[in-house]
Amino acid sequence: MFPYLYLFLPAGAVFYFLLHLFPGIPAHPPAAQPSVPLPSGYALSWNDEFGGASLDMEKWFYRQTGPRHDAVNTPEAVSAGNGILSIRTYTENGKHHTGMIATKKKSLDRTYGFYEASIEFTGDRNASSGMWSAFWLQSDTISTVGNTGKYGTEIDIVEYRPNPANGYETNQAIHYHGYGEHHKSAAKQHKIGLLEGYHTYGVLRTAGGYTFYMDGKEVWKTQEALSCIPEYIILSSEIRDKNWAGDIPANGYGSRDKSPTAMNVDYVRVYSLPDSYRTAPDGKWSDRQWETVLPSGRKIARLAPPDGANVWFNRERTSSLLLDRDAVVDSLTVGKGKFFHLEGRDKTLVVRSGIAALERMDMVFDTKMALEGGDVAWTLFEPYSSLCANGPVHGKGSLILRCGSGTLVNSTFLFNAPVTLQGEMDVKGQVALGPSGSLSISGKTVFRWNSRLVVHLDGKNASPKIKAEGGLELEKNVSLYPEFFYVPEPGDRIILADGLKKTAGGTFFNLPEGRVFDAEIYRDSPLKTSLAGKASLRIHYTDTGILLTVLSVDKTAPSR
């Protein structure tokens, strides 16, 4: 009589009641909820629960059939039905076989989002050696070396290899700049046994970076090689002897009917935010409702996306926009154009994930800016680009500044107003502080290798230009440029940085000729000088920060 119980139980309770009766059922609730809490606005936008009698060929295609590495990719290795997709690895007639499928562009054409699958890997350490299975993303243009924002990457959400030498190992990775001599990668490995039942694997892909999850727990976060283009999903198993997955078993993997080695997929799901295209891919205006007329009579486009959307611009000409209300965007990506200008001095643009410029361009924000996410990334992918923030910037999280391909210091982030962050600041590129610009960072402030910090000084600077309460770290080959827009006189005390708690290293440049400076540097700092023929710099070590005191004017003073 227990079937009548269904009438009185909620759907979730029925599901788990059946799960206990039939333990072979993969553990996922019928409501298709993600395994991790996502920011507000995310909704299921694509999925396959593999509920049909065969693989849905409207969504998938068999990828790279034929010989690959030390096996043959064949559709015969792929089966779907009863809610499970299976890719089996087997050996028949002296040949090893396995399979690979990928999503069709007409089915899935998405950039940012949360990609998740529930997967069971079967086999054992010895019988399954020499092969690996993966759930991953890839772009069509990954082989192009250079701008990953435009050309994409390989994003390995999970790779599993039962290597007998290393134990059961899972791996997340980013590969970019092709697979030849220019190939680069970053990876995180976990020696965890995952041959017992189903586990969830996911990546949250935003303009601020990649966050990887296993069984609902964050396992890796990186901003390496951000991709700002759609990528397709791949489910695969591959075989390669005496490689990173170990040696192929001497007797192979067993026949298709008897092989224990398989990748079983319960579901694949994608959750995403709404996209808002200010301009279509052909560069034409896509929404006339965004246009308004200023009191002067000049027509201008309005930035008016749905709150929390990913906003995209693809326009060859200048994009000048008006922010006439406070707006919240998850990301702002400008794919084309030489100049992007957002007006709205008294309005605030809230950014949750990131800002990206894919082409060489100048971006100017005449607005207030707020960072709402934990890690917000601003990325200039091409050299000789700039992003200028003329209004104040504040946020509870961290700001990550990245210049992409080319020489790092050829692109600049210019701040002409105070920046106040409760998190950290992480810089790979050039940062310039205008006369009214300053940094007040509660967390650690790091300038990565070969970066540059330019401080524009206009008049006597009585307050710190940089207040890094969590420490200021200047890595190898970092240059510190005090740019004087006035003639420093004896007695001037220029406080470049204060409140330091950790060592700072790097090189001073561009002190004006004929001045003698007393430089007070945080003790144990390896800060060096390169000032021959320009100025004399006497270094003292203190517990306060980086301060410059003009001692005298003496054009004959030797460099030290």
Side-chain angles (χ1 to χ4, degrees):
M1 58 178 291
F2 70 83
Y4 294 103
L5 185 62
Y6 299 163
L7 298 176
F8 306 99
L9 291 176
V14 171
F15 170 78
Y16 288 109
F17 177 67
L18 292 174
L19 184 62
H20 286 292
L21 285 179
F22 305 102
I25 298 176
H28 70 85
Q33 296 298 316
S35 65
V36 300
L38 296 175
S40 62
Y42 278 84
L44 185 68
S45 57
W46 187 94
N47 67 307
D48 197 341
E49 310 293 323
F50 305 109
S54 60
L55 185 66
D56 187 345
M57 302 310 293
E58 292 295 316
K59 296 181 177 179
W60 305 91
F61 69 95
Y62 296 106
R63 185 175 186 264
Q64 296 185 356
T65 57
R68 179 174 170 84
H69 303 316
D70 293 319
V72 176
N73 270 351
T74 174
E76 298 299 318
V78 181
S79 61
N82 298 319
I84 299 295
L85 168 83
S86 181
I87 301 178
R88 191 160 298 277
T89 299
Y90 61 96
T91 304
E92 288 184 348
N93 300 321
K95 291 185 178 181
H96 309 300
H97 299 79
T98 190
M100 180 184 300
I101 62 173
T103 53
K104 294 181 176 180
K105 186 173 183 178
K106 69 176 183 179
S107 170
L108 178 63
D109 188 22
R110 182 157 296 283
T111 301
Y112 304 132
F114 180 64
Y115 297 74
E116 183 177 67
S118 175
I119 304 173
E120 175 191 48
F121 300 107
T122 66
D124 64 52
R125 183 178 298 185
N126 295 307
S128 304
S129 177
M131 64 79 62
W132 71 96
S133 297
F135 165 41
W136 47 303
L137 310 177
Q138 191 186 64
S139 73
D140 287 326
T141 50
I142 185 177
S143 296
T144 305
V145 177
N147 185 331
T148 61
K150 288 172 54 178
Y151 305 128
T153 61
E154 174 187 321
I155 305 169
D156 296 326
I157 303 172
V158 62
E159 290 181 299
Y160 168 76
R161 55 172 180 164
N163 189 328
N166 294 315
Y168 306 125
E169 185 173 280
T170 60
N171 178 87
Q172 286 89 31
I174 305 294
H175 297 270
Y176 56 104
H177 294 345
Y179 299 104
E181 60 177 320
H182 300 290
H183 168 261
K184 292 185 178 182
S185 65
K188 181 74 172 181
Q189 297 176 343
H190 315 272
K191 293 185 177 180
I192 304 172
L194 292 177
L195 285 176
E196 302 82 23
Y198 284 82
H199 299 265
T200 58
Y201 306 92
V203 64
L204 180 59
R205 181 185 171 204
T206 72
Y210 311 101
T211 306
F212 293 85
Y213 298 88
M214 292 169 51
D215 287 333
K217 296 180 180 180
E218 180 183 322
V219 293
W220 187 37
K221 179 181 289 187
T222 181
Q223 287 79 36
E224 186 84 9
L226 295 182
S227 168
C228 302
I229 62 172
E231 302 198 2
Y232 51 90
I233 297 173
I234 303 172
L235 299 170
S236 64
S237 291
E238 303 186 61
I239 299 173
R240 195 170 189 177
D241 197 18
K242 303 185 185 306
N243 199 259
W244 76 302
D247 301 339
I248 296 174
N251 296 321
Y253 298 98
S255 65
R256 185 175 61 175
D257 295 336
K258 297 182 179 180
S259 171
T261 304
M263 173 186 184
N264 299 321
V265 184
D266 177 20
Y267 61 79
V268 180
R269 297 170 184 162
V270 181
Y271 303 83
S272 58
L273 295 168
D275 287 318
S276 182
Y277 291 89
R278 176 60 187 88
T279 47
D282 61 4
K284 297 179 180 179
W285 294 125
S286 62
D287 190 349
R288 285 292 178 184
Q289 293 181 359
W290 284 26
E291 191 170 80
T292 189
V293 180
L294 298 178
S296 63
R298 180 167 68 98
K299 288 185 177 180
I300 188 170
R302 299 168 58 242
L303 178 63
D307 276 353
N310 291 305
V311 180
W312 305 82
F313 291 83
N314 296 285
R315 188 169 173 82
E316 296 288 354
R317 296 178 292 168
T318 296
S319 291
S320 186
L321 302 167
L322 175 67
L323 186 66
D324 59 0
R325 65 173 177 86
D326 293 344
V328 180
V329 300
D330 193 76
S331 66
L332 174 64
T333 303
V334 183
K336 294 181 180 180
K338 301 299 182 184
F339 183 74
F340 176 89
H341 183 206
L342 184 62
E343 303 178 33
R345 286 275 182 176
D346 60 339
K347 303 303 178 183
T348 300
L349 177 66
V350 179
V351 182
R352 290 177 175 171
S353 292
I355 297 173
L358 306 190
E359 299 279 3
R360 174 182 171 182
M361 69 178 68
D362 297 314
M363 306 180 76
V364 178
F365 291 86
D366 281 318
T367 64
K368 301 174 185 178
M369 301 185 75
L371 313 180
E372 192 173 275
D375 290 332
V376 177
W378 294 0
T379 308
L380 302 173
F381 282 95
E382 290 291 347
Y384 304 103
S385 297
S386 68
L387 189 157
C388 176
N390 287 327
V393 178
H394 66 90
K396 297 180 179 180
S398 299
L399 178 59
I400 300 157
L401 304 178
R402 291 289 184 266
C403 295
S405 53
T407 305
L408 293 179
V409 296
N410 284 342
S411 295
T412 302
F413 297 94
L414 172 61
F415 295 98
N416 284 322
V419 177
T420 306
L421 301 177
Q422 296 182 23
E424 301 181 353
M425 175 175 276
D426 191 311
V427 179
K428 188 176 181 182
Q430 176 168 277
V431 167
L433 299 180
S436 299
S438 62
L439 301 179
S440 179
I441 314 298
S442 296
K444 183 170 63 176
T445 304
V446 180
F447 282 77
R448 301 292 176 184
W449 185 76
N450 271 356
S451 295
R452 179 184 291 176
L453 173 59
V454 180
V455 182
H456 298 279
L457 300 169
D458 188 6
K460 297 179 181 180
N461 179 32
S463 60
K465 294 291 287 186
I466 304 169
K467 188 173 180 61
E469 296 178 3
L472 174 65
E473 298 183 8
L474 309 180
E475 292 186 352
K476 184 178 179 181
N477 293 339
V478 171
S479 302
L480 179 59
Y481 276 73
E483 293 276 7
F484 289 87
F485 286 84
Y486 77 108
V487 178
E489 297 296 335
D492 286 358
R493 189 169 177 82
I494 300 101
I495 307 176
L496 293 179
D498 202 357
L500 308 189
K501 296 181 179 179
K502 295 185 178 180
T503 60
T507 305
F508 267 120
F509 283 98
N510 208 41
L511 294 180
E513 183 178 355
R515 263 65 188 170
V516 178
F517 288 86
D518 217 5
E520 299 177 9
I521 316 295
Y522 181 75
R523 74 175 67 255
D524 300 325
S525 168
L527 193 71
K528 299 178 181 179
T529 63
S530 179
L531 302 164
K534 289 189 175 182
S536 177
L537 181 66
R538 303 193 307 186
I539 296 180
H540 303 274
Y541 295 99
T542 72
D543 292 314
T544 54
I546 301 177
L547 300 89
L548 294 177
T549 302
V550 183
L551 298 182
S552 64
V553 176
D554 183 1
K555 292 190 176 182
T556 63
S559 299
R560 301 186 183 187

